[in-house]
Amino acid sequence: MKTFLTIEDLTKELNLVKASEKTSGLVPTMGALHQGHLSLVKQSRSECDVTIVSIFVNPTQFNNPDDLKKYPKTLDQDLELLESNGCDLVFVPSVKEMYPTKPELNISFGAIENALEGEHRPGHFEGVGMIISRLFTIIEPTKAYFGQKDIQQFYIIKKLIDEMGIHVDLRRAPIVRESNGLAMSSRNERLSAQERAQAAVIYQSLEQAKQKIVSGVKFPSVQQETERIFEGQSGMDLEYFEMVETKEFSSVTDFKNKEIALCIAVNVGEVRLIDNILIFS
Ligand code: AMP
């Protein structure tokens, strides 16, 4: 496995990959890697000749400076995990390398940008769009891998690819969960053992809600029930629980759309967690 800190060095290596007509898979991450990230690496390895993982805690997608400061960093462990999981190339740029000047370009995504995560984290998707388009330009991967864990981000990137005409095959991987159902997340590192156990209720509430919805219960009453579940949990604060279509992420109450997502954001102590479950009609 080779690790690169600069665009120049990475580009030299990628030129060799392209010259040999090998396919490449990019897995963009913010580090503090866990089995969720590694599932993307595994999928890339099974579909591409060369797997590239980027590790970059992108400051432009954090609307909360404290969240950025406290984001877990475990680079040595990340590199060991990637090596033992067969990753070929790792790109670990500095902020200066990715943003030599303060970016002024504005990428906006229309309605999807202002729903759910976009509404609760203003500027978040602009930052995501900026870093991912920069990574696509630098790396020009054949395929790029993203998790359903960040379902709205996935569709933001789909829009970026479709509207910019970027030549990359977008791949989506299912959510990897802890044994208690909690979606794996780098932010879980910041939970106490008690909070981690308690946070299992997030996925339980999603599963319960999905069952109710598919058996015909109307969303508003499911939503109220979910709100009640979290009112009964000390130290947990439900930020949103919504049923949305996955085009613009606007709220829906029925199944006219092909793919529906139940999306949730919960603050567990000081840690903000998101999760979702899909319903197909
Ligand atoms: P992050 O490092 O949190 O920016 O995540 C990097 C990529 O890993 C994103 O595409 C995420 O959606 C994906 N990811 C994060 N957690 C999980 C998980 N539990 N299961 C599957 N993919 C995940």
Side-chain angles (χ1 to χ4, degrees):
M1 186 178 84
K2 293 182 184 167
T3 302
F4 300 89
L5 303 179
T6 66
I7 296 169
E8 194 183 344
D9 289 347
L10 177 69
T11 304
K12 279 186 198 147
E13 181 72 23
L14 290 172
N15 285 342
L16 299 177
V17 173
K18 282 169 205 151
S20 58
E21 295 193 358
K22 286 184 173 154
T23 57
S24 59
L26 171 65
V27 181
T29 81
M30 297 205 298
L33 302 182
H34 49 68
Q35 290 302 321
H37 297 113
L38 296 176
S39 74
L40 303 182
V41 171
K42 190 170 173 198
Q43 196 178 336
S44 169
R45 287 191 67 213
S46 72
E47 296 176 354
C48 303
D49 300 321
V50 175
T51 291
I52 307 147
V53 173
S54 62
I55 298 179
F56 180 64
V57 183
N58 175 35
T60 65
Q61 72 187 67
F62 284 81
N63 59 319
N64 175 349
D66 200 44
D67 189 26
L68 173 61
K69 208 169 81 196
K70 290 188 176 153
Y71 200 84
K73 291 177 193 71
T74 56
L75 184 59
D76 291 344
Q77 188 187 310
D78 290 350
L79 295 177
E80 272 173 35
L81 273 174
L82 290 176
E83 171 109 64
S84 60
N85 280 271
C87 173
D88 301 295
L89 311 179
V90 191
F91 182 41
V92 194
S94 64
V95 173
K96 218 159 178 212
E97 186 71 13
M98 288 313 277
Y99 300 117
T101 55
K102 192 174 178 300
E104 290 183 339
L105 191 71
N106 258 332
I107 309 180
S108 57
F109 293 89
I112 184 174
E113 180 184 332
N114 298 316
L116 306 185
E117 286 302 282
E119 184 188 346
H120 290 265
R121 302 181 69 188
H124 171 63
F125 288 127
E126 229 177 83
V128 168
M130 194 180 297
I131 191 63
I132 297 298
S133 54
R134 215 152 151 48
L135 287 170
F136 283 168
T137 306
I138 295 163
I139 296 172
E140 297 180 329
T142 318
K143 296 178 192 277
Y145 295 83
F146 293 88
Q148 183 205 314
K149 164 76 176 16
D150 300 280
I151 182 85
Q152 196 176 359
Q153 169 176 280
F154 176 86
Y155 281 101
I156 285 275
I157 289 157
K158 181 170 180 343
K159 192 159 191 162
L160 180 78
I161 291 171
D162 290 348
E163 294 200 9
M164 299 284 287
I166 300 171
H167 291 283
V168 62
D169 179 9
L170 178 64
R171 311 287 289 143
R172 181 165 91 189
I175 303 176
V176 178
R177 300 182 177 281
E178 310 270 1
S179 54
N180 68 359
L182 175 64
M184 288 196 180
S185 163
S186 305
R187 288 188 166 86
N188 294 352
E189 303 269 320
R190 295 180 51 211
L191 299 172
S192 68
Q194 193 199 331
E195 286 170 333
R196 207 178 255 247
Q198 196 190 3
V201 72
I202 299 172
Y203 182 55
Q204 285 160 9
S205 69
L206 281 177
E207 277 214 304
Q208 199 175 307
K210 177 176 174 173
Q211 269 175 25
K212 293 240 158 75
I213 299 278
V214 295
S215 66
V217 182
K218 293 279 172 245
F219 181 69
S221 92
V222 175
Q223 191 177 35
Q224 275 176 10
E225 202 166 315
T226 305
E227 283 165 3
R228 271 198 302 275
I229 293 175
F230 285 94
E231 275 160 20
Q233 297 284 332
S234 71
M236 285 183 116
D237 178 30
L238 177 65
E239 198 170 282
Y240 65 72
F241 170 65
E242 298 291 343
M243 182 160 96
V244 295
E245 45 74 33
T246 54
K247 194 165 186 308
E248 293 186 333
F249 281 72
S250 56
S251 296
V252 291
T253 48
D254 55 39
F255 284 93
K256 278 194 206 110
N257 298 274
K258 238 174 44 201
E259 189 187 64
I260 301 283
L262 294 173
C263 296
I264 193 166
V266 180
N267 288 290
V268 183
E270 286 189 348
V271 184
R272 185 176 184 278
L273 301 177
I274 58 169
D275 200 350
N276 67 82
I277 199 165
L278 295 174
I279 306 175
F280 296 94
S281 62

